[in-house]
Amino acid sequence: MKEQPRDGIVLIGGASGIGKSRAAAQLAEESKAFVVEFDDVVEAVHAITTAAHHPDLHLFDGVPDSDLSAERVLDLQIATARALEPAVLGVVRNRLTVDVPAVIEGDYLTPAAAARAVAEGAAAGRDVRAVFLHEDDPEQITANYTSREPDSGVQAERAEVSAAYGRWLGREAALHALPVVASRPWSTLVPRIRQALGGEYDEGQYDEGGAATPW
């Protein structure tokens, strides 16, 4: 299997509840890379900004969940992701200043920002690649949430939004010529990510069982 460059940066995007964090951790461990959880950056940005000065970063503030339809949540999530694109590029630009490989993953990585990051990496003589994970089955995402967050009950509506957001990311990824990888079977996800990023994948080397959850 082809190794990623020692100082490369990989961006892994996708909707919530489909196994991005676990895949990123495994990929980073195999590549001896640094992991950046972009959700942490999102929380930090949210904490130091206000709705008055950065309204696009506070679209969900003060709005009861009961007042939001699934379609409205999706629209607000996409708008928030687009507003966070400069933050994505800021993280990538910072990682480009050091020669340590990194894996950056998160729900709010948009294909537009990822494509810009790839281009900026190329201009700097660095290898930046991006891939988006996708799970199209809301019932599977619901099961993933239940496994990961058993105290939160059944989160079917959240899963519906996640699947719809994933479809939007997939369409955007296609527009920017970025690969989209199915999150299942989980047992072969990391090698399939490597293949999508330009490596090799020998299907016979991996168990296709997929019985375990991504958590």
Side-chain angles (χ1 to χ4, degrees), residues 148-167:
R148 187 178 72 181
E149 305 164 10
D151 294 337
S152 297
V154 177
Q155 302 181 69
E157 291 184 5
R158 181 185 176 194
E160 290 283 355
V161 173
S162 179
Y165 181 61
R167 288 190 285 272

Side-chain angles (χ1 to χ4, degrees), residues 77-198:
Q77 186 164 0
I78 291 172
T80 301
R82 285 175 166 155
L84 285 162
E85 288 175 350
V88 174
L89 293 171
V91 171
V92 172
R93 288 165 185 160
N94 184 62
R95 299 313 308 171
L96 287 173
T97 65
V98 295
D99 61 354
V100 177
V103 178
I104 304 170
E105 71 89 8
D107 303 354
Y108 286 104
L109 301 182
T110 68
R116 177 73 179 273
V118 171
E120 291 193 11
R126 295 283 299 279
D127 190 271
V128 179
R129 309 183 195 185
V131 63
F132 285 81
L133 308 187
H134 181 57
E135 169 58 67
D136 198 50
D137 183 359
E139 291 187 3
Q140 181 62 60
I141 299 175
T142 299
N144 294 349
Y145 285 147
T146 301
S147 177
R148 187 178 72 181
E149 305 164 10
D151 294 337
S152 297
V154 177
Q155 302 181 69
E157 291 184 5
R158 181 185 176 194
E160 290 283 355
V161 173
S162 179
Y165 181 61
R167 288 190 285 272
W168 177 80
L169 288 173
R171 292 191 296 270
E172 290 291 304
L175 290 175
H176 293 280
L178 296 173
V180 177
V181 174
S183 62
R184 289 182 291 159
W186 295 312
S187 60
T188 63
L189 177 55
V190 169
R192 288 186 289 109
I193 290 173
R194 287 189 175 279
Q195 181 186 41
L197 294 172

